[in-house]
Amino acid sequence: MNAQGQLGESLRTRRSQLRPEDLDVPTYQERRRVPGLRREELALLAGVSTSYHTRLEQGQSLNASPEVLDAIARALRLDAAERQHLHNLTRSAKGPGRARRPAPERVTQATGQLLAALADVPALRGDTVYVDSAAYVTATDPNLVLAHLNR
């Protein structure tokens, strides 16, 4: 079984082991076709959409963030080892990751000279006043902006 299948099987198995009564999930005396929590109930407890949780169980979505996995692990009442296993299954299902390096930033000589000449001049961009490369203040507080400009 591949990692996608293992992730789905792990989620389904653990979901089937939890009883709604143990988690204070209302059952409305309905008959259940399968034991344990329904996907909708688990998704609600985890704070994710039912369709997203279904895609995870079926191996159709492999890009679950660590925060989503932690939310599902909390809803499933997983211990630390089981939680780590869930994260490992997701990582192995995604395949080997590639480290992406950002493109190097290049400034022309003329731009560098212009920036050096303007080093002591405050700059305004959007709602932020940049006083120098080490500090900036938001322009929403006029007193703070004036204090920085009058330095």
Side-chain angles (χ1 to χ4, degrees), residues 31-110:
R31 184 175 156 268
R32 293 177 176 263
R33 292 183 286 179
V34 294
L37 289 177
R38 294 182 172 130
R39 284 183 180 142
E40 299 83 13
E41 294 165 340
L42 179 60
L44 182 65
L45 289 171
V48 298
S49 72
T50 303
S51 61
Y52 184 63
H53 180 75
T54 301
R55 288 194 309 271
L56 282 174
E57 275 193 7
Q58 293 175 348
Q60 297 172 358
S61 182
L62 302 177
N63 58 353
S65 69
E67 293 81 14
V68 167
L69 293 175
D70 285 338
I72 291 172
R74 276 192 302 277
L76 289 172
R77 309 287 164 103
L78 300 181
D79 62 26
E82 293 168 325
R83 181 182 304 246
Q84 186 61 45
H85 179 67
L86 184 66
H87 283 271
N88 290 341
L89 284 175
T90 306
R91 270 194 291 278
S92 62
K94 289 180 184 178
R98 290 188 310 211
R100 294 184 183 173
R101 292 176 29 192
E105 296 181 23
R106 301 184 195 283
V107 177
T108 64
Q109 185 178 2

